[in-house]
Amino acid sequence: MITSRDAVGQRSETVRRSNLSAIVRELHLRGPLSRSELVAHTGLTRSAIRGLINELVAGGLVTETPSAPAGTPGRPSPLVHPQPKSAVAIALEVNVDSLAAARVGLGGSVEHVIRVDRPRAHVTVEQIVSDLVELADPLLGWPADEERLVGIGVAVAGIVRRTDGLVRLAPNLGWRDEPLGRRLAAALPTSAPVSVANEADLGGLAEHRRGAAVGVTDVVYVTGEVGVGGNVIVDGRPLVGAAGYAGEIGHMIVNPGGTACGCGSFGCWETEIGERALLLRAGRPPSGGRQAVDELIAAAAAGDAEALASLAHVGRWLGIGLVSLVNVFNPTLVVLGGIFERIHPHVTSAVYAELDRRALAASRELVRVSPGSMGVDGPLIGAAELAFEPMLADPAARLAAASATQPMRAGAQTMEVQIASQARGGGT
Ligand SMILES: [Zn+2]
């Protein structure tokens, strides 16, 4: 039986954990902030912030430096820096054309990125797992970093069940129901959790947290290379659906009389706006990849009629699909990623023309269309964010684990003395 005193204690512990989470999340997403800015962003009191920051300093997750006097009266507010090396995520990506790995520190600092091209061919999940383990090896740095590793995030060009990283379908890899998450967890030399998600979902997450859609609460993200995918942010949260399969906008049926799609259906959006469609309509081999698209863009810029006609077709169909998404989700921003980020100067006017012509006026007048800002590494950055999520949700668990493996450091009361002595060393 819980006494009322226990209940109060539990409540205050829940509040403490939630407040620590709010602070660490702000620092992770925004970078160094003054205590005053943390007060403004979290709504916590100055004294609550002080106590919690002292805990985070003692746990090594942040450092404080005095901020330069701003020329205003009063004591300047100390600047709190997330410590990139105190918590790190490994991000992995299985793309149709490449494999990639990155090491990302708290605060979002990307320390290393490795990307290797791979041929566009069907490949076994065993081979990909073996290649990923090899790619990640130099980033892991065991055994010293094991306790700092918050998790492994994996972006894959397929439909993924979030709970266990089962890839239900990845037509361009030739996979159906492949247990990528389970196999990677078994093969990697760490007990850190492995989280797998669709790469378009993670590209959208990266744009929302660190790119073109920061601070925007209602966003439609469209990306593609061979396949077309996307991500919808509703009221600040990514829409994942019941199992993680939401956002497969490339398989909206836009042209019921259209051509066959890799998913087994016909007339999907992907068959009108994907890389294959773009290249085929310009009279080019459809499997030329990134380089072929770059050549097509260059040809269009030089006035090549076939290249321009193909871009016009893709722009029109991109707009037609977006009409439905804008009508359904009422976003204020559409972000174009992947191939669409690269061709956006050639398609934006056609997209706006279709929105003007067909979308509901009330929704149309609120939305703008922008290229993404993350480039090819967007899904990788999103994979790191996925891996950080459990730690951001409960940094107190990390503090407890750290204090269990280290001798007790100075208590909160003496921390301000320590902070002053660290004044020059805390830059990130
Ligand atoms: Zn399809």
Side-chain angles (χ1 to χ4, degrees):
M1 177 144 176
I2 298 172
T3 65
S4 64
R5 201 163 152 189
D6 287 340
V8 169
Q10 280 178 5
R11 251 199 324 273
S12 79
E13 175 60 9
T14 306
V15 169
R16 169 182 162 268
R17 286 184 169 233
S18 143
N19 290 346
L20 280 168
S21 168
I23 292 171
V24 174
R25 196 178 285 279
E26 287 295 324
L27 292 167
H28 177 66
L29 294 179
R30 296 176 192 263
L33 292 171
S34 69
R35 283 193 194 175
S36 309
E37 286 168 320
L38 281 167
V39 168
H41 290 311
T42 62
L44 295 170
T45 63
R46 189 164 278 275
S47 70
I49 291 277
R50 190 188 313 123
L52 295 164
I53 294 296
N54 285 345
E55 272 196 67
L56 293 170
V57 170
L61 287 179
V62 308
T63 55
E64 277 195 303
T65 55
S67 64
T72 48
R75 225 160 46 133
S77 182
L79 204 56
V80 185
H81 304 256
Q83 283 306 292
K85 289 190 164 62
S86 68
V88 300
I90 301 294
L92 303 172
E93 183 188 357
V94 184
N95 191 332
V96 176
D97 291 316
S98 62
L99 296 179
R103 186 182 153 108
V104 178
L106 184 66
S109 64
V110 180
E111 294 174 38
H112 299 279
V113 179
I114 308 168
R115 186 174 290 279
V116 294
D117 290 339
R118 61 172 292 269
R120 275 189 188 181
H122 290 185
V123 61
T124 64
V125 73
E126 290 84 356
Q127 184 60 54
I128 290 285
V129 165
S130 157
D131 290 347
L132 287 176
V133 169
E134 193 177 322
L135 208 58
D137 187 59
L139 305 181
L140 290 167
W142 270 283
D145 282 339
E146 172 78 36
E147 70 187 42
R148 294 177 179 173
L149 187 62
V150 297
I152 318 282
V154 188
V156 61
I159 299 172
V160 181
R161 188 165 71 193
R162 287 284 182 104
T163 48
D164 59 358
L166 179 75
V167 179
R168 299 299 311 276
L169 179 68
N172 296 308
L173 299 168
W175 294 355
R176 187 179 284 275
D177 293 327
E178 292 288 356
L180 176 65
R182 202 156 48 74
R183 283 181 188 258
L184 257 179
L188 285 165
T190 171
S191 57
V194 174
S195 310
V196 187
N198 171 268
E199 70 170 351
D201 286 355
L202 295 177
L205 182 67
E207 292 290 354
H208 188 233
R209 291 203 168 173
R210 305 197 175 275
V214 167
V216 185
T217 56
D218 294 274
V219 184
V220 167
Y221 173 72
V222 186
T223 187
E225 303 289 344
V226 185
V228 170
N231 182 235
V232 181
I233 309 275
V234 177
D235 197 19
R237 291 168 186 273
L239 201 65
V240 293
Y245 312 150
E248 285 295 336
I249 57 181
H251 303 286
M252 292 193 302
I253 308 299
V254 294
N255 186 1
T259 53
C261 178
C263 74
S265 190
F266 289 83
C268 295
W269 202 18
E270 177 174 312
T271 66
E272 299 293 348
I273 65 170
E275 186 187 283
R276 272 184 74 81
L278 178 67
L279 292 170
L280 271 175
R281 288 202 165 257
R284 290 158 188 259
S287 53
R290 167 170 285 268
Q291 190 184 341
V293 172
D294 287 342
E295 286 166 10
L296 183 146
I297 293 170
D304 180 288
E306 276 187 314
L308 286 167
S310 183
L311 285 163
H313 174 92
V314 167
R316 176 167 168 265
W317 281 95
L318 183 59
I320 288 170
L322 282 175
V323 166
S324 295
L325 293 170
V326 165
N327 285 350
V328 172
F329 293 107
N330 182 205
T332 53
L333 179 64
V334 171
V335 177
L336 302 178
I339 190 178
F340 308 114
E341 185 177 326
R342 286 150 65 212
I343 66 173
H344 88 95
H346 297 279
V347 298
T348 302
S349 63
V351 167
Y352 276 125
E354 293 304 328
L355 287 172
D356 288 342
R357 202 167 141 215
R358 300 174 195 268
L360 295 169
S363 291
R364 164 64 191 96
E365 66 194 24
L366 292 176
V367 72
R368 68 192 163 86
V369 179
S370 290
S373 64
M374 305 299 293
V376 71
D377 288 330
L380 203 55
I381 302 305
E385 292 300 322
L386 181 71
F388 265 111
E389 196 48 44
M391 183 271 186
L392 297 177
D394 187 16
R398 188 131 209 106
L399 294 177
S403 71
T405 57
Q406 289 167 12
M408 275 298 281
R409 295 181 56 181
Q413 298 309 313
T414 62
M415 285 318 297
E416 290 197 335
V417 177
Q418 247 188 309
I419 291 154
S421 72
Q422 289 171 351
R424 296 281 153 230
T428 53

